[in-house]
């Protein structure tokens, strides 16, 4: 197997194919072999796993996934990488590469087609310019046992943040609604070519076996969350009144009072059960 993380191997291979990195496609390739091996290991990939990889690049993580998984499906937008991947991962017969934009894929259909009888997982060193839309699509697909990804460290911290902390926001709640995130390890800039300006972090998001909240209408729940963080520095009643104009200020205050919150409560201190209670109270007023 070609060691694509060896810079002495990588550079001539790229040059032989006239490949230049595309900043616009978020191309920072791994040159530290311990990183892809640790991602595959920590994700718990084994023969029962069907793994969706996003952005294989030259294939360092793809190799580690193929060595462990039942099946790997890698989606790559840059077809200049095709001859390179043929050399680095062409030997694996448990790999399918799909050429195109992952955001244009019907992910549940792809998973059903690619991984029958296997435990679906997603693993990736994500292109950072589209971290949020990709993660949103993976979680909303609601079909992966786990999603293990490398992202900017600050994004990983936001995903795993607890209520009442500066990093906690609407995206934390969104991710924690679907999964239980766990921060795994830092990856410094020198592990990539070209080097990014920021430290990266690997995080694993394990799908919740059950969602222990009674949420009548998830759409209202996510509207409440969005409204609660839109005006972070203001009282929650202001955020709710602006996110739900039909309530008005008085209605928003009534809802919070009915849920037992003090008048000056702030959204950033609330967890999922509290947002659920507010959403249910709003939905209840509508059906009155
Ligand atoms: N996995 C490789 C590694 O770790 O060295 C490459 C990771 S690089 C950070 C991100 C990869 O995602 C690049 O190969 C890039 O071409 C690919 N990519 C960027 N946008 C994409 C998209 N919309 N859909 C699929 N792949 C994409």
């Amino acid at each position: 197997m070609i060691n694509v993380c060896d810079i002495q191997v990588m550079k001539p291979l790229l040059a032989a194919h006239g490949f230049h990195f595309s900043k616009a496609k978020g191309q920072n390739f791994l040159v530290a072999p311990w990183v892809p091996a640790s991602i595959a290991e920590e994700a718990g990939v084994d023969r029962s796993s069907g793994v969706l990889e996003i952005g294989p690049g030259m294939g360092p993580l793809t190799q580690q996934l193929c060595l462990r998984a039942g099946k790997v499906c890698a989606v790559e937008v840059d077809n200049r990488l095709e001859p390179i991947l043929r050399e680095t991962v062409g030997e694996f017969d448990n790999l399918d590469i799909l050429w195109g934009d992952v955001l244009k894929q019907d992910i549940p259909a792809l998973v059903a087609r690619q991984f029958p009888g296997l435990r679906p997982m997603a693993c990736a060193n994500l292109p950072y310019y589209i971290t949020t839309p990709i993660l949103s699509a993976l979680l909303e697909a609601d079909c992966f046992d786990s999603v293990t990804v490398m992202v900017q460290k600050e994004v990983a911290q936001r995903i795993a943040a607890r209520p009442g902390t500066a990093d906690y926001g609407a995206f934390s709640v969104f991710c924690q609604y679907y999964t239980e995130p766990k921060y795994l390890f830092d990856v410094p800039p020198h592990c990539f070519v070209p080097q990014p300006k920021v430290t990266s972090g690997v995080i694993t998001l394990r799908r919740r076996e059950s969602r222990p909240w009674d949420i009548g209408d998830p759409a209202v729940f996510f509207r409440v969350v969005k409204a609660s963080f839109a005006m972070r520095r203001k009282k929650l009643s202001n955020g709710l009144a602006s996110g739900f104009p039909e309530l008005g200020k008085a209605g928003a205050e009534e809802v919070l009072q009915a849920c037992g919150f003090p008048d000056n409560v702030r959204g950033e201190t609330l967890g999922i059960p509290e947002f659920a209670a507010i959403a249910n109270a709003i939905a209840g007023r509508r059906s009155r």
Side-chain angles (χ1 to χ4, degrees), residues 264-283:
N264 60 353
V265 67
R266 289 182 180 228
E268 63 204 36
T269 62
L270 304 182
I272 293 177
E274 289 81 25
F275 288 122
I278 296 170
N280 291 342
I282 292 175

Side-chain angles (χ1 to χ4, degrees), residues 25-30 55-57 60 76-77 101-102 125 127 129-130:
K25 293 192 173 71
Q27 290 176 341
N28 300 93
F29 290 177
L30 280 166
E76 173 58 64
V77 78
D101 180 347
V102 70
N125 169 13
Y129 74 107
I130 43 173

Side-chain angles (χ1 to χ4, degrees), residues 17-37:
H17 293 282
F19 183 90
H20 296 284
F21 294 103
S22 160
K23 207 172 167 185
K25 293 192 173 71
Q27 290 176 341
N28 300 93
F29 290 177
L30 280 166
V31 287
W34 66 269
V35 180

Side-chain angles (χ1 to χ4, degrees), residues 64-93:
Q64 295 301 321
L65 296 172
C66 287
L67 288 171
R68 295 168 173 82
K71 171 91 191 276
V72 177
C73 172
V75 181
E76 173 58 64
V77 78
D78 189 347
N79 56 16
R80 295 176 306 153
L81 290 161
E82 190 173 355
I84 298 174
L85 281 169
R86 215 176 296 131
E87 290 192 42
T88 60
V89 292
E91 71 209 66
F92 293 106
D93 56 14

Side-chain angles (χ1 to χ4, degrees), residues 21-246:
F21 294 103
S22 160
K23 207 172 167 185
K25 293 192 173 71
Q27 290 176 341
N28 300 93
F29 290 177
L30 280 166
V31 287
W34 66 269
V35 180
S38 307
I39 295 174
E41 206 51 48
E42 294 271 359
V45 176
D46 63 23
R47 289 285 167 232
S48 70
S49 320
V51 187
L52 172 65
E53 186 194 0
I54 294 131
M58 294 183 71
L61 179 57
T62 323
Q63 290 178 332
Q64 295 301 321
L65 296 172
C66 287
L67 288 171
R68 295 168 173 82
K71 171 91 191 276
V72 177
C73 172
V75 181
E76 173 58 64
V77 78
D78 189 347
N79 56 16
R80 295 176 306 153
L81 290 161
E82 190 173 355
I84 298 174
L85 281 169
R86 215 176 296 131
E87 290 192 42
T88 60
V89 292
E91 71 209 66
F92 293 106
D93 56 14
N94 59 345
L95 170 67
D96 250 5
I97 301 181
L98 304 183
W99 296 96
D101 180 347
V102 70
L103 294 174
K104 296 199 173 131
Q105 305 290 324
D106 176 341
I107 291 176
L110 180 156
V111 165
R113 201 170 60 239
Q114 290 280 336
F115 308 132
L118 294 172
R119 198 160 52 96
M121 293 181 165
C123 279
N125 169 13
L126 286 179
Y128 293 169
Y129 74 107
I130 43 173
T131 299
T132 308
I134 293 179
L135 267 180
S136 303
L138 293 176
L139 299 191
E140 275 169 350
D142 212 9
C143 58
F144 296 102
D145 266 24
S146 66
V147 172
T148 305
V149 285
M150 176 143 56
V151 296
Q152 293 183 29
K153 183 177 180 177
E154 61 176 58
V155 175
Q157 287 170 326
R158 267 191 265 140
I159 290 170
R162 305 307 304 161
T165 62
D167 288 333
Y168 187 61
F171 196 54
S172 326
V173 178
F174 171 82
C175 293
Q176 293 171 28
Y177 170 85
Y178 288 102
T179 69
E180 293 180 277
K182 184 173 162 213
Y183 190 81
L184 295 177
F185 53 86
D186 285 359
V187 181
H190 67 76
C191 294
F192 304 84
V193 166
Q195 292 192 17
K197 290 198 176 68
V198 292
T199 296
S200 301
V202 176
I203 188 163
T204 192
L205 298 106
R206 298 219 173 267
R207 185 173 189 229
R208 287 188 182 276
E209 276 171 19
S210 67
R211 295 186 187 130
W213 323 283
D214 171 25
I215 295 180
D217 182 346
V220 177
F221 171 80
F222 285 116
R223 247 179 97 189
V224 166
V225 173
K226 198 171 155 209
S228 302
F229 288 100
M231 304 168 96
R232 248 190 124 95
R233 304 277 153 244
K234 297 222 168 128
K235 289 198 302 187
L236 181 52
S237 52
N238 291 319
L240 281 184
S242 133
F244 292 84
E246 66 273 28

